[in-house]
Amino acid sequence: MPHTPPVRGVLGQTRTRALWSIAACAFLTAGCVGAIIEPDPSANEDPTNADPTNPDPTNPAPTDPEVLTGLEHWTAQCSTCHGVFVGDGGISTGNNNGDFRLDAASTIAQHGDGLAAYINDTMPKQSPSTCQGTCADSTAAYIRSRERTVATLECSQPNDLVYGIRELKLLTSLEYQRSLEDLLGVDTEFGASLANSDTTLGGFLNMRGRGLNGTTLESYKNNAEAIATWAAANQRPFACTDAAACGQRFVDEFLPRAFRGPVPDEQRQLYLALFQSYPDSGMQLALEAALTSPLFLYRIETGVDLQTAIDRGYYTNTSDSGPPAGDPVETIFAASFPPGSGRLDGDAWFFAENGAVEVTFSTPFTASVVIEVEARGTNYGDIWPELTVRVGGTQIGVQTVDDPVMKTYRFEVTGQTGTPSVRLEFNNDAGTPPFGAGQDANLYLARVSLVVPSATPPPPSDPAPTENPLAGVDASAFVLTPYELASTLSFMLTGSTPDAALLAAAQADQLTTEAQLRAQVTRLIDSPRGRQHIGEFVSQWFELDKVKSASRPEVPDFTPEVKESMVREVQEHFFHVFYDDAVPFSEFFGGDYTFLNRALADFYGVAGNFGDAFVQTEVPGRGGPIASGAFMAGHAHVERTAPILRAVHTRQNALCHYIDPPNSPIAGDNIDAQRAAAQMRVEEREQQEGALSSRDFYYLYTDEIDACAGCHEQIINPMFGMEDFDNVGRLRPSAGADSVIETIGGTQKTVSLSGTLYGVDSTSDEATITFAGAKDLSNKIASTTAVKTCLVRRSFRFLTGLAFYDRDVDLANRETLTDEQRDAYNCSASRMMAALERNQSPRDMFIELATESLLRLRR
């Protein structure tokens, strides 16, 4: 027997080298290095390296003389820092480092009619006197010509296929944690050690384009050692008594789930060797290697070329596998099997040796019924378990269970009546050398069901046309394998690794037709993991988790339990409009009710008989994401509210309006002096009046700063009307006449709630909404096109990681959209909007996107 090193976190250098060799081999075996992920250079020119002498080769030259002159000035004096505008995009590329990218719409909104004057006085930074007069006027005209103000969701070719992007995605800390929980039942938080490495795009966790660095690699390694030690001690993923049998079961059962698809033979042999070389600690070592493998840590969405997909027969199974002659009328699960041969192992009945189990249905048999058995097997060599089914002592069928994933097998029964016994047998466990008895094949049974045919057969229908998802696909495109598609769908809709049912569908090529996809997508969305993921979407969308770190020392009852309940309050409201088809999406913002439990009702001072569960409750002034404790407390300061933060994030989160911060590179050189003057104004007013209301305090601080002037004219200052909530999310006492009482520094101040929202579809349109207080504003924007379009934009970003509109790209990460991508993604987004409009259902919209071709097809 080979020597086994002592087991601790790390079992020595030899073992460590072996594990990392396996991990490295996993990357090579997956075919995910080198040219396979390197895009065609001709299709991926780096816009940050654009030649300033040819500033916009993809866009026709402007025809307006002033704009054309402005382009010439831009090329000569602005492009060195700001880069070029590519195609018809509204955001410039920035310099070679991506710095100083300029968003035309945001710049116009900030400077308004004063844009030319700003350029005249301050630009270019290195020589502010070289573009004045007509140069400034024409440059401003050129910037205005590049403005894309509204996401119109227009689609020029609505019937065309849409292609996503080939990529590897490192799991976010949340995806990593949930995968560990679902694979091993881990109940300790391991993702937290990786959270600092998470990046965001468009406000959502997103690891597109991210690789491993030394810090995260060490965290993965330490986590894997701790998890593997715990798992082996707790018989996870299963009990292990015989090294050879455990090794085979590990590569047959655990690895395909952990790696989200078939495991190459080279990998299988490497893992089996660990069990052979280290019989006492093989499970622990194998888990450490698996949990640090790129096949586990990365979402692989690279696909294969179209011809290979066709040659392999992907997406050709258009038949549904629903039970014949009706649905099961009675099911007996493994947990309810009577004592006998075998034993319960998790949620399956496990036969390691020949044996049988008998069950009896309470439903009487008719002349012809069907017995369904959900089973899976493990093999050693060429031996797979055989399932024999007997009813009333009569053998009705023998089935080789040659699939390591649970699959449903059906047996037709005739000539039986009453309630005969149903016997499920495992008979071919021969103990084939070199294995002993019980070590050559195993059988697992999840359930047995009785299917009784309907008395009246369904009327015949015209055969549906055969669906071919690969018809019309561009010859240069790539196609995700069914397993890659299953992984994409699972992480997209549940934030976790695929479950056994989804992997079984991939193996059976039953992610082919729209009906097959919709069935799986609906199941995932409606699962507990799906509901949890939907809650995560709304939390990230409105930055609800900010409230959890909010410190309010002067309010001792602002406890962690209250903060957690505030987040749940908004999530429960979104669940209400998402999962209940009778509730339109507009009630997320416009419903005059909220969802409270005992902790939150007590904190808000709402009377009633509350418990731990959240219940729908009418509370004047509350309801929805904006008029909520989480949003208002999360966008506030320790001693004051934050009217500007509330206004900015209301616009950005609810309406998808983007506002540049005043300290951006275009703020101007005199901003420090202007801030000092503002500080003096505040101090003078405080000497005269004592403590100032938060509304007055921040108005004085920012009103005469040039960099803030554009926002204060129409974007922020008129939106100071959301001061009906204090800095812990409680409603303030009314002072009558659309005003409330703010207590600041022990002094009470009457604060007006009047406000005007200038610009609804964008910050620069002419629509206005007058309101008084956060809930009034929320009610008035609830049914606007802007709110629904924002839902589409945020959902698209959350689910796919992509942006379909220039204003949604993340400037800090140098994202760009090609003209082809912009139009194609808009087509997907337009279909999402159509699905939302049909029933006012965000759930329907999610399902629509999850069946789009951009998930299966890549470039």
Side-chain angles (χ1 to χ4, degrees):
M1 178 180 293
H3 172 67
T4 303
V7 176
R8 58 180 184 85
V10 177
L11 299 180
Q13 293 182 355
T14 301
R15 189 216 65 168
T16 301
R17 285 196 297 271
L19 297 191
W20 286 104
S21 294
I22 293 175
C25 180
F27 235 164
L28 295 170
T29 306
C32 295
V33 295
I36 193 167
I37 60 171
E38 194 66 34
D40 180 0
S42 65
N44 192 40
E45 295 175 358
D46 184 358
T48 62
N49 294 323
D51 180 2
T53 63
N54 183 21
D56 204 352
T58 65
N59 194 51
T63 57
D64 180 274
E66 184 179 31
V67 173
L68 182 58
T69 301
L71 170 58
E72 294 172 354
H73 288 306
W74 177 276
T75 301
Q77 302 196 63
C78 308
S79 61
T80 301
C81 292
H82 294 301
V84 298
F85 290 98
V86 178
D88 61 351
I91 302 179
S92 70
T93 61
N95 61 19
N96 288 341
N97 296 319
D99 298 328
F100 304 112
R101 294 175 69 177
L102 187 137
D103 180 345
S106 181
T107 300
I108 293 164
Q110 183 167 1
H111 293 286
D113 294 337
L115 177 58
Y118 178 79
I119 296 172
N120 184 89
D121 296 340
T122 65
M123 291 291 166
K125 282 290 186 182
Q126 64 272 24
S127 183
S129 62
T130 58
C131 189
Q132 297 180 325
T134 57
C135 173
D137 292 339
S138 59
T139 302
Y142 174 64
I143 294 173
R144 292 184 187 282
S145 75
R146 305 314 305 244
E147 181 182 24
R148 292 171 59 89
T149 57
V150 180
T152 59
L153 305 186
E154 293 179 350
C155 175
S156 62
Q157 300 293 333
N159 297 320
D160 281 1
L161 295 171
V162 177
Y163 298 84
I165 298 175
R166 300 179 71 213
E167 54 191 344
L168 301 174
K169 296 179 182 177
L170 189 64
L171 298 185
T172 68
S173 61
L174 196 58
E175 292 169 339
Y176 172 80
Q177 176 67 27
R178 288 180 181 172
S179 296
L180 292 173
E181 293 170 359
D182 291 343
L183 289 169
L184 294 167
V186 167
D187 57 5
T188 301
E189 177 57 55
F190 287 99
S193 63
L194 305 164
N196 288 337
S197 297
D198 282 336
T199 57
T200 60
L201 290 176
F204 297 105
L205 292 180
N206 194 322
M207 296 294 278
R208 291 183 58 221
R210 289 296 305 275
L212 290 171
N213 58 38
T215 301
T216 56
L217 196 59
E218 190 66 23
S219 295
Y220 283 128
K221 179 181 172 184
N222 293 338
N223 282 354
E225 292 174 0
I227 295 165
T229 301
W230 170 86
N234 288 274
Q235 300 186 337
R236 306 291 176 87
F238 47 78
C240 184
T241 56
D242 179 89
C246 274
Q248 196 66 48
R249 188 177 176 189
F250 186 87
V251 298
D252 286 342
E253 300 175 24
F254 180 77
L255 275 190
R257 280 210 65 198
F259 291 173
R260 303 180 278 279
V263 182
D265 187 62
E266 301 95 318
Q267 284 283 297
R268 292 168 59 90
Q269 295 306 317
L270 288 169
Y271 280 92
L272 287 172
L274 287 176
F275 286 88
Q276 295 165 3
S277 300
Y278 302 94
D280 293 336
S281 56
M283 176 64 80
Q284 182 177 341
L285 297 175
L287 282 171
E288 287 186 36
L291 297 180
T292 51
S293 168
L295 295 175
F296 170 69
L297 296 177
Y298 281 86
R299 296 170 52 180
I300 300 173
E301 300 177 13
T302 56
V304 297
D305 63 87
L306 176 62
Q307 190 57 52
T308 298
I310 294 172
D311 292 344
R312 292 180 181 177
Y314 291 156
Y315 306 114
T316 57
N317 186 358
T318 59
S319 64
D320 293 323
S321 59
D327 295 320
V329 296
E330 185 177 346
T331 296
I332 302 174
F333 291 98
S336 300
F337 284 1
S341 302
R343 60 179 171 80
L344 188 65
D345 182 5
D347 58 358
W349 197 263
F350 171 49
F351 290 100
E353 302 174 353
N354 290 336
V357 63
E358 284 193 19
V359 299
T360 301
F361 293 103
S362 60
T363 303
F365 282 37
T366 60
S368 177
V369 297
V370 171
I371 296 294
E372 286 186 352
V373 182
E374 189 175 1
R376 65 179 176 84
T378 59
N379 71 313
Y380 294 90
D382 296 327
I383 307 273
W384 285 93
E386 285 184 353
L387 168 64
T388 301
V389 178
R390 301 180 190 274
V391 177
T394 301
Q395 179 176 307
I396 63 168
V398 178
Q399 174 68 53
T400 299
V401 183
D402 56 356
D403 198 321
V405 178
M406 282 293 179
K407 187 175 179 180
T408 298
Y409 300 93
R410 297 176 176 85
F411 304 85
E412 189 173 349
V413 184
T414 58
Q416 296 282 351
T417 58
T419 56
S421 65
V422 177
R423 181 179 173 89
L424 310 175
E425 300 178 352
F426 175 34
N427 292 322
N428 69 319
D429 195 51
T432 303
F435 304 103
Q439 295 184 6
D440 55 349
N442 295 326
L443 178 66
Y444 298 80
L445 306 176
R447 65 173 176 87
V448 57
S449 300
L450 176 64
V451 179
V452 177
S454 172
T456 304
S461 59
D462 294 332
T466 300
E467 293 186 48
N468 181 1
L470 304 186
V473 173
D474 189 280
S476 65
F478 289 80
V479 181
L480 295 194
T481 72
Y483 289 101
E484 288 177 328
L485 180 57
S487 176
T488 298
L489 289 172
S490 185
F491 282 108
M492 173 181 175
L493 299 173
T494 72
S496 186
T497 195
D499 61 12
L502 188 56
L503 290 176
Q507 184 179 39
D509 195 29
Q510 289 187 332
L511 298 175
T512 298
T513 68
E514 183 176 351
Q516 291 168 349
L517 277 176
R518 284 184 176 271
Q520 290 292 340
V521 166
T522 301
R523 182 181 67 82
L524 294 173
I525 287 176
D526 293 345
S527 69
R529 272 284 187 238
R531 187 180 180 91
Q532 183 182 26
H533 198 52
I534 296 302
E536 190 61 37
F537 163 63
V538 74
S539 290
Q540 292 184 40
W541 179 10
F542 285 95
E543 306 169 280
L544 301 180
D545 283 351
K546 282 185 175 181
V547 73
K548 295 180 182 179
S549 59
S551 174
R552 305 290 185 266
E554 301 300 318
V555 187
D557 54 343
F558 189 56
T559 63
E561 181 185 11
V562 166
K563 297 174 188 177
E564 184 68 41
S565 295
M566 285 180 168
V567 175
R568 282 285 306 278
E569 174 187 12
V570 184
Q571 289 176 333
E572 292 293 332
H573 204 141
F574 192 71
F575 294 156
H576 181 58
V577 302
F578 190 91
Y579 287 104
D580 190 335
D581 291 339
V583 182
F585 170 66
S586 59
E587 289 203 17
F588 184 43
F589 288 88
D592 291 316
Y593 53 83
T594 190
F595 290 80
L596 304 179
N597 63 355
R598 180 190 299 110
L600 206 52
D602 289 347
F603 183 76
Y604 289 160
V606 177
N609 185 22
F610 295 93
D612 294 333
F614 283 77
V615 295
Q616 183 175 333
T617 309
E618 291 189 13
V619 182
R622 285 193 181 277
I626 301 302
S628 71
F631 184 84
M632 289 299 179
H635 295 101
H637 301 304
V638 174
E639 297 178 349
R640 287 184 178 272
T641 58
I644 295 176
L645 287 180
R646 289 175 175 181
V648 168
H649 288 281
T650 294
R651 276 197 179 272
Q652 293 190 160
N653 296 332
L655 299 167
C656 287
H657 297 170
Y658 291 86
I659 302 166
D660 280 337
N663 58 344
S664 66
I666 56 175
D669 294 331
N670 60 344
I671 189 170
D672 291 336
Q674 291 181 348
R675 285 174 172 165
Q679 174 72 34
M680 292 182 62
R681 287 195 302 274
V682 170
E683 292 175 354
E684 289 173 0
R685 282 281 298 275
E686 286 179 331
Q687 290 176 359
Q688 297 169 4
E689 303 178 18
L692 300 176
S693 71
S694 295
R695 179 168 180 158
D696 288 343
F697 181 85
Y698 286 105
Y699 174 80
L700 287 171
Y701 243 123
T702 57
D703 185 52
E704 295 186 19
I705 295 178
D706 291 342
C708 304
C711 288
H712 268 265
E713 183 177 351
Q714 290 192 335
I715 295 177
I716 293 176
N717 179 31
M719 286 187 69
F720 276 11
M722 292 187 289
E723 286 297 278
D724 40 349
F725 286 82
D726 65 15
N727 67 337
V728 291
R730 287 168 166 156
L731 283 165
R732 285 172 166 160
S734 173
D738 293 333
S739 61
V740 292
I741 297 173
E742 175 183 9
T743 301
I744 185 77
T747 302
Q748 290 188 341
K749 294 287 184 177
T750 299
V751 182
S752 171
L753 296 180
S754 62
T756 303
L757 173 67
Y758 290 93
V760 180
D761 287 331
S762 75
T763 57
S764 56
D765 70 30
E766 296 181 357
T768 62
I769 293 176
T770 58
F771 65 94
K775 187 56 194 171
D776 189 35
L777 174 63
S778 187
N779 287 338
K780 288 177 176 176
I781 66 174
S783 298
T784 61
T785 299
V787 163
K788 289 183 285 189
T789 301
C790 191
L791 169 67
V792 174
R793 289 164 66 174
R794 292 307 178 99
S795 301
F796 188 87
R797 178 62 116 171
F798 176 75
L799 293 172
T800 69
L802 304 170
F804 67 83
Y805 179 51
D806 292 283
R807 292 293 282 114
D808 295 339
V809 299
D810 196 289
L811 299 182
N813 289 280
R814 300 172 56 191
E815 289 186 290
T816 57
L817 287 173
T818 66
D819 292 343
E820 179 185 10
Q821 288 172 333
R822 187 182 302 109
D823 186 62
Y825 298 165
N826 259 281
C827 288
S828 290
S830 68
R831 288 188 283 270
M832 291 172 65
M833 177 62 88
L836 174 65
E837 293 280 22
R838 279 194 295 271
N839 297 310
Q840 296 299 306
S841 169
R843 182 172 176 272
D844 288 354
M845 183 193 68
F846 271 49
I847 294 172
E848 175 64 37
L849 179 59
T851 57
E852 283 282 313
S853 62
L854 91 162
L855 300 184
R856 181 163 24 208
L857 306 179
R858 305 296 176 105
R859 278 179 174 159

